[in-house]
């Protein structure tokens, strides 16, 4: 991959991972409600999903999923339902005091992994990256030595930033009214993402997230 191609890819990926979505909302929520080190477990889960999707994209598996209407439709409905469920639960719990016990790291990890993986719209971003920036005449695994570190580093920086933002908001949310409002805004975001996901069509391999 040439330096020019790498620069374009890095800019694309930066937009891809900094555009607010379910992962960002989950990181902000974790930062608000968990000790920072525990909240960062959610970022680790997102990096796990990113690694898996990058490898699957290189192998062509995500392209196969995206071109299968049945598989995409089922995955889309499951993902939409899961996000809407999170939003409704968050809205109901917004007025309740935050739980005093800290969620186990395993629970934080699996929850973040589910949010990251179950959203089929992510497929469009990974397909776009590979359809637009991978050079077909160059061995794919040679290019992956550049693509993966770049993508993972930008992903880690972005979602760490969202987690820090949540931690700052959590410290600022000293008033009960403000705290409830912020938690309900996060809940509405999950519901909106779920509805948009359910109403979305097939991802285009040449498009962006």
């Amino acid at each position: 991959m040439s330096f020019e191609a790498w620069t374009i890819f890095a800019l694309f990926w930066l937009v891809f991972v900094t555009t607010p979505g379910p992962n960002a909302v989950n990181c902000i929520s974790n930062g608000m409600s968990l000790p920072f080190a525990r909240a960062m477990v959610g970022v680790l889960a997102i990096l796990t999903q990113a690694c898996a999707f990058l490898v699957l994209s290189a192998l062509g598996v995500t392209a196969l999923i995206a071109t299968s209407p049945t598989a995409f439709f089922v995955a889309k409905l499951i993902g939409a339902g899961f996000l809407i469920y999170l939003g409704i639960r968050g809205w109901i719990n917004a007025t309740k005091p935050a739980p005093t016990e800290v969620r186990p790291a395993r629970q934080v990890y699996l929850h973040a992994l589910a949010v990251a993986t179950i959203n089929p719209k992510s497929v469009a971003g990974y397909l776009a990256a590979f359809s637009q920036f991978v050079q077909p005449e160059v061995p794919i695994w040679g290019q992956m030595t550049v693509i993966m570190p770049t993508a993972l580093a930008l992903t880690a920086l972005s979602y760490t930033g969202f987690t820090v933002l949540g931690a700052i908001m959590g410290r600022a949310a000293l008033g009960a009214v403000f705290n409830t409002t912020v938690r309900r805004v996060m809940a509405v975001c999950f519901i909106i993402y779920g509805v948009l996901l359910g109403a979305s069509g097939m991802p285009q391999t040449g498009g962006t997230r």
Side-chain angles (χ1 to χ4, degrees), residues 23 31 36-37 43 53 55 68 73 75 80 89 104 127 158 167 174 181-182 187:
N23 284 335
F36 186 73
V43 177
F53 269 48
V55 172
S68 172
F73 180 73
R89 187 183 68 174
L127 288 175
S158 174
L174 300 178
T181 301
V182 171

Side-chain angles (χ1 to χ4, degrees), residues 151-163:
L152 294 178
L154 291 175
T155 299
L157 288 173
S158 174
Y159 292 114
T160 297
F162 282 119
T163 304

Side-chain angles (χ1 to χ4, degrees), residues 37-117:
R38 184 64 54 86
M40 285 297 293
V41 174
V43 177
L44 177 62
I46 295 173
L47 291 175
T48 302
Q49 180 262 356
C51 285
F53 269 48
L54 285 167
V55 172
L56 288 174
S57 296
L59 295 173
V61 175
T62 52
L64 177 62
I65 294 174
T67 55
S68 172
T70 301
F72 180 78
F73 180 73
V74 172
K76 181 177 71 171
L77 290 184
I78 293 174
F82 180 70
L83 293 175
I84 292 172
Y85 161 75
L86 290 178
I88 293 174
R89 187 183 68 174
W91 181 276
I92 293 173
N93 292 333
T95 57
K96 299 178 181 178
T100 55
E101 72 276 4
V102 177
R103 285 182 288 154
R106 181 174 180 272
Q107 182 181 342
V108 175
Y109 179 87
L110 292 177
H111 181 273
L113 185 63
V115 171
T117 304

